[in-house]
Amino acid sequence: ARKQPSDHNGPGLSHGLPLQGLNQVDDDSRGRSKAFLPRSTLMALTLFLIGTIGVIYSRLSTKLRRHEALNPSERSKMKSSSNSQPKKSYDKSSDNSNSTPNHNTNKKNAVNDVQNTYSPTTNRTLHVIFSTDCSTFQHWQSYLFFHSAYKISQPGYITRIASGCKPEEEEKERKWHEENVQHDMSERYRIHFTPHFSGVKDATTGEVKGDYKFFNKPFGLKHFLEFGEFTGLRDGVSAGDIEGSGFKMKDPQAIIILCDPDFLLLRPLTDDFSNERETIISIRRKTFFQSKHHNYPQLHDDLPSRYIVDHGRPFGQTYGLGAQWRKFGLEVITGVNNSPAKAVDQSDGGLLYPAGPPYIGTAEDMYKIAVKWSEFAPGVHHEYPHLLAEMCMLIC
């Protein structure tokens, strides 16, 4: 006979029944639950299904927005091309499960994928870039970055900026990238090589006395914008002219998205943050933006365009950097006595300026940022030779 539980277990929680009664109803003769699944398992399955539905909805919404962003002529062209494709009959004799993949077909798909280079909202060319050195560690980080972008159909060109590679390393990296990234994923996935930037030089003698690999980020960005295949500078004076340089940008309207190599993209990253369901702004910052702060009148229009990247309106992710950069010797770092950074108080410094990657701006704005960022980098590192120093350099 089954032993009944003692009264010290206390009453149950359902309808005031004693625990003994619940055990008699819900347990079998061995004391095991008769429930089909434990409540915790049912809850986990429910959350999983909700998450799956959310992912499917997000991807369908992204595809719909991309389709709506196409011109009517492009839509009709896509429709006519799909209708004109002849239906192929299945030939069982040609089926060979042990045959090698058709790399020619993969290559053709990769070339066609170059069309997916524009922002679904603004129709501007997107350039997602990230800075690395030539180490094995950042080699596999880069591959994972490309793969995550491939899995979510990230629009735009995606470029790894590899700095400081030796000639034999550059040749090896270029070949590996062409065969395993461009060939198997997308022709939009590029690699851009730059000189070695991470040496720390003595301010007096100029002698290299250390290494700070994060110098590659500001200097690599500047090199990419000056010598990149689609973004570089060229002679001439016209729209996009860089002030006082005699050069102009190939595409000053392009959107540059600077990431870190340890990112894994979970959904497409673009220049549009107007969707409140996808963009999270803290209550404190939202309240500030909705108020009429006399020092920042440009922040207080209520148009959705305020959340879309444009000239003079770059974006960045909020980081917990605080405002410690205000304690740096800003006069020495910037070379001027009246740097605008000195006018920022502690409150605004912690609220409006602690930004980090992804940094997003137009090519024209990002080049201006990169020039000053590279200029201030050695001075900031001299005062703060630690991790995240390159992020503090950008704030100055």
Side-chain angles (χ1 to χ4, degrees):
R2 182 181 171 198
K3 184 178 180 180
Q4 296 296 331
S6 59
D7 292 338
H8 72 268
N9 286 327
L13 299 179
S14 176
H15 305 294
L17 294 176
L19 193 59
Q20 300 96 306
L22 286 177
N23 286 340
Q24 290 174 353
V25 174
D26 293 339
D27 292 352
D28 62 14
S29 60
R30 296 186 179 181
R32 297 175 299 189
S33 174
K34 290 182 179 179
F36 177 69
L37 287 174
R39 182 173 298 177
S40 60
T41 304
L42 289 173
M43 180 66 72
L45 287 174
T46 302
L47 293 175
F48 174 77
L49 290 174
I50 293 174
T52 302
I53 293 172
V55 170
I56 295 174
Y57 174 79
S58 176
R59 291 189 176 184
L60 289 175
S61 300
T62 301
K63 289 183 179 180
L64 180 61
R65 291 179 64 187
R66 288 178 186 164
H67 181 70
E68 291 175 346
L70 294 175
N71 295 327
S73 60
E74 292 176 330
R75 293 184 193 176
S76 60
K77 187 185 297 183
M78 290 177 60
K79 185 175 180 180
S80 61
S81 62
S82 62
N83 292 336
S84 63
Q85 293 289 337
K87 294 183 178 180
K88 296 183 180 180
S89 59
Y90 174 69
D91 185 1
K92 186 175 181 180
S93 63
S94 64
D95 183 18
N96 185 357
S97 59
N98 295 324
S99 61
T100 58
N102 186 343
H103 288 289
N104 291 330
T105 302
N106 291 344
K107 186 70 173 179
K108 183 177 180 180
N109 291 338
V111 171
N112 291 338
D113 189 47
V114 174
Q115 298 175 358
N116 186 26
T117 59
Y118 302 104
S119 161
T121 302
T122 63
N123 208 34
R124 293 178 174 180
T125 302
L126 299 177
H127 290 278
V128 180
I129 63 177
F130 58 98
S131 175
T132 73
D133 55 23
C134 262
S135 65
T136 302
F137 172 64
Q138 295 203 311
H139 170 83
W140 66 256
Q141 275 191 331
S142 301
Y143 184 77
L144 286 178
F145 189 104
F146 283 121
H147 187 264
S148 69
Y150 172 75
K151 294 295 289 185
I152 64 166
S153 300
Q154 169 66 40
Y157 293 98
I158 303 175
T159 303
R160 172 191 177 186
I161 303 175
S163 300
C165 300
K166 299 176 181 178
E168 60 274 14
E169 291 176 329
E170 179 175 333
E171 181 180 357
K172 181 180 178 181
E173 285 289 348
R174 190 188 304 276
K175 182 178 180 181
W176 196 93
H177 180 87
E178 291 175 353
E179 293 178 353
N180 298 280
V181 178
Q182 280 192 311
H183 185 282
D184 292 343
M185 297 186 196
S186 173
E187 282 287 322
R188 295 182 290 110
Y189 298 174
R190 309 298 178 99
I191 187 167
H192 176 86
F193 293 97
T194 80
H196 183 273
F197 292 127
S198 59
V200 178
K201 298 180 180 180
D202 185 276
T204 305
T205 64
E207 179 184 358
V208 176
K209 61 177 183 180
D211 188 87
Y212 184 70
K213 62 182 180 180
F214 301 108
F215 279 161
N216 289 330
K217 192 183 295 183
F219 287 97
L221 170 64
K222 182 173 179 288
H223 192 279
F224 172 76
L225 293 173
E226 290 178 341
F227 301 100
E229 180 181 0
F230 303 108
T231 60
L233 305 182
R234 57 185 178 183
D235 294 332
V237 178
S238 64
D241 177 52
I242 304 301
E243 299 173 3
S245 68
F247 294 98
K248 67 174 184 178
M249 306 200 76
K250 292 180 181 178
D251 187 4
Q253 301 283 341
I255 301 298
I256 308 298
I257 304 175
L258 176 59
C259 299
D260 279 344
D262 58 357
F263 282 11
L264 289 179
L265 303 180
L266 302 180
R267 64 171 61 187
L269 186 61
T270 68
D271 56 351
D272 184 356
F273 299 93
S274 60
N275 189 337
E276 293 184 357
R277 297 187 61 183
E278 298 179 354
T279 306
I280 300 175
I281 303 176
S282 69
I283 298 297
R284 186 180 172 207
R285 287 182 173 83
K286 202 165 191 177
T287 302
F288 178 89
F289 291 147
Q290 291 173 348
S291 66
K292 299 297 180 182
H293 197 292
H294 66 278
N295 288 336
Y296 307 95
Q298 72 276 17
L299 297 178
H300 305 301
D301 57 88
D302 296 326
L303 299 176
S305 61
R306 179 160 61 90
Y307 298 99
I308 298 176
V309 179
D310 202 353
H311 289 310
R313 190 165 54 227
F315 280 62
Q317 173 63 46
T318 301
Y319 279 71
L321 299 176
Q324 61 180 343
W325 52 270
R326 296 180 64 251
K327 301 177 182 178
F328 296 165
L330 299 178
E331 297 88 351
V332 177
I333 293 172
T334 62
V336 295
N337 294 325
N338 57 344
S339 169
K342 296 179 64 176
V344 179
D345 60 28
Q346 185 72 16
S347 176
D348 287 354
L351 181 67
L352 304 176
Y353 291 88
Y359 303 107
I360 310 175
T362 63
E364 183 176 341
D365 283 351
M366 289 297 277
Y367 184 68
K368 295 175 181 178
I369 290 171
V371 169
K372 288 298 181 182
W373 195 3
S374 303
E375 179 184 336
F376 297 160
V380 173
H381 182 267
H382 179 73
E383 290 207 20
Y384 187 78
H386 306 292
L387 185 67
L388 305 184
E390 85 286 353
M391 297 171 68
C392 295
M393 299 168 197
L394 183 60
I395 297 174
C396 293

